[in-house]
Amino acid sequence: MADKEAGGGDAGPRETAPTSAYSSPARSLGDTGITPLSPSHIVNDADTNVSEQQTFLVVVAIDFGTTSSGYAYSFTKEPECIHVMRRWEGGDPGVSNQKTPTTILLTPERKFHSFGYAARDFYHDLDPNEAKQWLYLEKFKMKLHTTGDLTMDTDLTAANGKKVKALEIFAYALQYFKEQALKELSDQAGSEFENSDVRWVITVPAIWKQPAKQFMRQAAYQAGLASPENAEQLIIALEPEAASIYCRKLRLHQMIELSSKAAVNGYSSGDTVGAGFAQAKEHIRRNRQSRTFLVENVIGEIWSELEEGDKYVVVDSGGGTVDLTVHQIRLPEGHLKELYKATGGPYGSLGVDYEFEKLLCKIFGEDFIEQFKIKRPAAWVDLMIAFESRKRAAAPDRTNPLNITLPFSFIDYYKKFRGHSVEHALRKSNVDFVKWSSQGMLRMSPDAMNALFKPTIDSIIEHLRDLFQKPEVSTVKFLFLVGGFAEAPLLQQAVQAAFGDKCRIIIPQDVGLTILKGAVLFGLDPAVIKVRRSPLTYGVGVLNRYVEGKHPPEKLLVKDGTRWCTDVFDKFISADQSVALGELVKRSYTPAKPSQLVIVINIYSSECDDVSFITDPGVKKCGTLRLDLTGTSGTAVPARREIQTLMQFGDTEIKATAVDIATAKSVKVGIDFLNY
């Protein structure tokens, strides 16, 4: 293939670095401009790449969560069995252990030490002075969502205030999961499992911007899960899509419907939620020993009620973010079509922790809390763990107070810091709902706990309200509530109260594992998701013939007597346009000047739909294709030389190719959101 000599996938930033410094590529690159040759057309070659499928023995999905993480796997020979990872050592009272906390510990020399409960417990047992040297990180995934200009060099801050490279931490975490999973697979199979036998799936929030998705892939390459040459070995799956795939398989006994009906068998609807969950929990507890879930290869009963064109919303509420995605069914196979670009925001259960921290600042003073976190980081972690298990006990109908144990060093350090007792602070703070109990605990009334949930839940409901206003969403049949935060009865009740009359609200039983299981199913059959909405508008910079009165004068460029308009954004695909997976969009261009020896095609993206020029605000460069036009060795080159440019929209990556039709030379590049 000709594209290999032309630097296969390696038209990277090295060769093209000089071009990015110029503001206007057409003016600055002198003779490398292009001008459109043909009206654009979309070619659907979505099915041509089926033949080169690699075969893997097993699919392993990693749910890398903000607060907790885990993996699950399935052997391609028996895809109906999904195995959730082994039990983790060390767990918290009152918190079920199918996943492990997303916490990581590095030694003072910045080498990986441990992950999950092990990291937390080891850190906790260190002498406070020694602990200051160690780097402990938790809940760091949110950084990818909140950093506007994410790059390979973005930093994270450990509990002791020291900075580390985010890419390194993510790679360490993924490498840890890789090793755990391969070890478990080898133990189970009785023989060594190689990484090449595994297809990996990593889930990310759908509302993440493109750079964050690319960042996750880079971290996975660094961790050795796959490599750029073997990119198909890793699929980056969107969390709500994974949840959606799993929900399709649900049988009625595997979910709880929050009924909006009046009393059912003598229960009022408020009771049924509680009772349904109690039964479900009992059922899960009995099955806790078995970590294998059978996914019957049928379409679940709920699903069989859905008809062609029916719509449903997946609300994926986790630790860090809430993702809302609207899908539509396409029969006969029940393929999914994303109807509405994913929306959501940072309204995960972390918001509740943040409110708790604000409450502590109100009682004990912000200056004290800040100092305590730095000086006694392990005790702070302890306090948040104690809060976590009480947070899970919050419920709309709860009447008895919730007790949170304050670590001894909190009480002790407060006395040193302020010169009076914690008890005194509580009496003085006039926060009515929080009292001091003689056993050394903070006693919160249920109202106080519910108040901590309120801002986060209000944001989620408001977001859903906005979504339901959209015409495409008005006829939704089902709302699936998934993700770890979906276990919170307060959230369930709020969603039910607000939308129970609009659609049926369904919660899968083991709601915290929904995404993990769906991601495994996705890895077994990636073709199930057929259509996505493009999150960005993509195009290339071109020269057009200058039209007086239509084009701004400052864009005029006269070259060899021809008047050109520079910096024109020639659109490939618009934000929010439907894109089938694997779809190719083709455009043809011709060199602006027949004698050119090289052409440079710069690819740009923007979140806006109506982009006219590459200099418009918000337009970012995300790729460069350089095509050498020499070497036609005597063959007659047509006067209007055709350069075809293709963009192919893959799972979370986009590849661009340019082909010189006269010589069949071609170059390829992956769209890059981190290095421009």
Side-chain angles (χ1 to χ4, degrees):
M1 274 170 68
D3 58 274
K4 281 288 179 285
E5 298 96 60
D10 204 336
R14 284 198 308 279
E15 313 151 11
T16 56
T19 59
S20 53
Y22 301 115
S23 57
S24 159
R27 280 205 186 101
S28 49
L29 291 171
D31 294 337
T32 57
I34 50 166
T35 184
L37 185 62
S38 63
S40 61
H41 48 285
I42 286 188
V43 188
N44 278 321
D45 290 357
D47 299 318
T48 50
N49 51 6
V50 178
S51 55
E52 47 177 342
Q53 281 296 314
Q54 256 177 298
T55 50
F56 297 102
L57 297 180
V58 66
V59 170
V60 180
I62 299 175
D63 176 2
F64 192 133
T66 306
T67 44
S68 63
S69 297
Y71 65 86
Y73 57 94
S74 175
F75 295 98
T76 42
K77 283 214 245 335
E78 36 168 15
E80 57 292 333
C81 288
I82 296 181
H83 310 269
V84 175
M85 59 182 194
R86 331 177 197 204
R87 290 288 298 270
W88 295 83
E89 305 75 67
D92 292 332
V95 177
S96 73
N97 288 346
Q98 286 287 345
K99 286 158 89 182
T100 183
T102 309
T103 51
I104 197 165
L105 182 63
L106 307 187
T107 66
E109 297 74 47
R110 297 176 175 252
K111 291 272 170 285
F112 175 80
H113 179 274
S114 47
F115 187 90
Y117 290 115
R120 228 178 50 187
D121 297 345
F122 186 90
Y123 182 59
H124 176 254
D125 294 342
L126 285 168
D127 171 80
N129 286 323
E130 203 183 340
K132 286 188 202 127
Q133 306 309 311
W134 289 66
L135 291 89
Y136 177 80
L137 293 104
E138 57 178 358
K139 300 175 186 161
F140 46 84
K141 179 178 157 193
M142 275 306 277
K143 181 81 179 208
L144 297 200
H145 178 69
T146 50
T147 305
D149 48 351
L150 183 68
T151 68
M152 305 294 245
D153 293 324
T154 297
D155 285 324
L156 296 172
T157 308
N160 62 0
K162 293 200 171 115
K163 291 207 180 326
V164 270
K165 292 270 168 281
L167 190 67
E168 232 163 83
I169 296 299
F170 279 79
Y172 274 145
L174 291 171
Q175 195 178 342
Y176 172 79
F177 278 114
K178 175 183 134 184
E179 284 163 14
Q180 292 290 322
L182 287 175
K183 205 161 124 210
E184 178 170 345
L185 289 167
S186 302
D187 290 354
Q188 240 201 331
S191 61
E192 205 54 36
F193 242 82
E194 296 297 325
N195 188 58
S196 55
D197 298 331
V198 180
R199 162 171 262 161
W200 296 96
V201 183
I202 299 174
T203 58
V204 299
I207 47 169
W208 269 15
K209 301 256 191 290
Q210 291 293 2
K213 294 176 187 170
Q214 185 183 336
F215 184 93
M216 210 49 151
R217 185 168 273 280
Q218 284 314 125
Y221 289 162
Q222 197 164 316
L225 272 68
S227 62
E229 298 71 49
N230 200 357
E232 300 69 62
Q233 194 179 354
L234 168 67
I235 297 176
I236 301 280
L238 304 182
E239 288 163 8
E241 283 182 352
S244 192
I245 293 167
Y246 180 67
C247 290
R248 302 165 41 152
K249 300 270 189 187
L250 289 173
R251 309 301 302 244
L252 290 177
H253 65 264
Q254 293 170 309
M255 55 196 158
I256 295 129
E257 182 163 356
L258 297 184
S259 69
S260 48
K261 307 176 201 64
V264 188
N265 329 339
Y267 284 119
S268 72
S269 67
D271 300 337
T272 45
V273 176
F277 250 94
Q279 264 168 340
K281 282 225 170 91
E282 190 41 51
H283 175 79
I284 290 172
R285 196 171 298 124
R286 281 204 299 275
N287 291 353
R288 179 59 63 63
Q289 283 10 80
S290 129
R291 292 173 303 114
T292 302
F293 294 86
L294 279 175
V295 178
E296 297 162 55
N297 205 355
V298 293
I299 286 198
E301 285 119 322
I302 279 274
W303 215 257
S304 52
E305 292 180 30
L306 286 168
E307 292 148 25
E308 167 93 49
D310 275 351
K311 304 167 191 172
Y312 60 97
V313 182
V314 178
V315 179
D316 169 16
S317 46
T321 50
V322 168
D323 254 352
L324 315 177
T325 311
V326 185
H327 282 152
Q328 187 174 30
I329 303 295
R330 290 169 59 177
L331 296 174
E333 319 83 349
H335 283 147
L336 309 186
K337 174 178 177 183
E338 185 182 12
L339 257 205
Y340 185 74
K341 195 167 59 174
T343 56
Y347 315 126
S349 57
L350 279 187
V352 185
D353 300 359
Y354 179 64
E355 289 299 316
F356 177 60
E357 196 176 314
K358 282 201 331 209
L359 178 71
L360 292 175
C361 288
K362 202 166 148 188
I363 300 171
F364 302 109
E366 201 171 327
D367 53 347
F368 167 71
I369 297 295
E370 284 313 305
Q371 271 304 302
F372 180 70
K373 279 161 80 173
I374 293 165
K375 291 281 193 295
R376 298 280 184 275
W380 173 254
V381 170
D382 258 8
L383 176 55
M384 290 318 278
I385 292 168
F387 174 67
E388 180 68 32
S389 86
R390 297 332 295 144
K391 180 169 100 181
R392 287 165 186 263
D397 44 8
R398 191 182 172 105
T399 49
N400 49 342
L402 295 125
N403 292 324
I404 296 164
T405 312
L406 283 180
F408 170 72
S409 69
F410 184 98
I411 299 168
D412 186 50
Y413 193 73
Y414 184 77
K415 200 161 172 80
K416 288 196 181 108
F417 189 89
R418 284 267 189 267
H420 59 237
S421 69
V422 164
E423 205 176 339
H424 177 80
L426 273 160
R427 268 206 309 276
K428 207 177 80 236
S429 72
N430 60 43
V431 175
D432 327 339
F433 305 116
V434 185
K435 300 272 176 279
W436 176 246
S437 83
S438 52
Q439 295 91 38
M441 298 188 186
L442 280 185
R443 176 168 285 176
M444 291 181 79
S445 73
D447 289 351
M449 182 57 100
N450 297 0
L452 300 181
F453 278 80
K454 194 173 169 0
T456 304
I457 289 179
D458 287 352
S459 299
I460 295 173
I461 298 294
E462 178 150 348
H463 227 89
L464 271 166
R465 278 226 169 84
D466 289 350
L467 185 67
F468 274 96
Q469 299 299 303
K470 307 269 188 286
E472 309 95 319
V473 186
S474 53
T475 52
V476 163
K477 271 205 177 170
F478 292 103
L479 185 153
F480 290 102
L481 200 52
V482 303
F485 195 32
E487 293 172 6
L490 290 162
L491 177 60
Q492 293 170 10
Q493 189 200 39
V495 171
Q496 176 59 36
F499 307 106
D501 53 347
K502 292 192 178 58
C503 57
R504 289 169 62 187
I505 295 167
I506 308 272
I507 303 178
Q509 249 181 28
D510 40 358
V511 61
L513 300 176
T514 308
I515 290 161
L516 202 43
K517 294 180 194 170
V520 173
L521 293 170
F522 188 32
L524 292 165
D525 178 18
V528 60
I529 302 279
K530 274 289 188 264
V531 178
R532 287 219 177 112
R533 297 270 154 181
S534 173
L536 297 168
T537 298
Y538 293 99
V540 299
V542 300
L543 297 167
N544 273 346
R545 293 293 168 107
Y546 188 82
V547 181
E548 227 34 91
K550 176 184 162 197
H551 291 138
E554 69 274 13
K555 297 288 184 196
L556 173 64
L557 171 74
V558 181
K559 228 194 198 145
D560 304 338
T562 309
R563 295 160 65 83
W564 296 104
C565 174
T566 68
D567 298 341
V568 175
F569 186 102
D570 188 41
K571 223 184 269 188
F572 262 75
I573 200 148
S574 298
D576 230 13
Q577 196 174 326
S578 295
V579 193
L581 282 192
E583 186 168 309
L584 282 174
V585 184
K586 280 188 191 171
R587 288 295 146 84
S588 289
Y589 299 101
T590 189
K593 195 170 145 194
S595 57
Q596 275 171 230
L597 295 179
V598 65
I599 71 164
V600 174
I601 301 174
N602 285 311
I603 303 169
Y604 296 89
S605 67
S606 164
E607 290 186 17
C608 305
D609 224 356
D610 45 340
V611 188
S612 310
F613 294 102
I614 59 174
T615 48
D616 290 357
V619 175
K620 292 195 171 86
K621 181 160 145 190
C622 56
T624 299
L625 290 160
R626 282 179 79 98
L627 194 53
D628 177 0
L629 301 184
T630 55
T632 40
S633 62
T635 26
V637 173
R640 308 256 302 160
R641 189 165 188 169
E642 184 181 354
I643 307 294
Q644 236 183 31
T645 306
L646 304 101
M647 284 182 84
Q648 185 168 26
F649 295 84
D651 64 343
T652 38
E653 304 135 298
I654 297 157
K655 297 190 173 68
T657 313
V659 186
D660 178 0
I661 299 297
T663 61
K665 263 194 193 171
S666 70
V667 287
K668 287 188 175 173
V669 64
I671 300 295
D672 185 343
F673 297 97
L674 292 172
N675 293 314
Y676 279 99

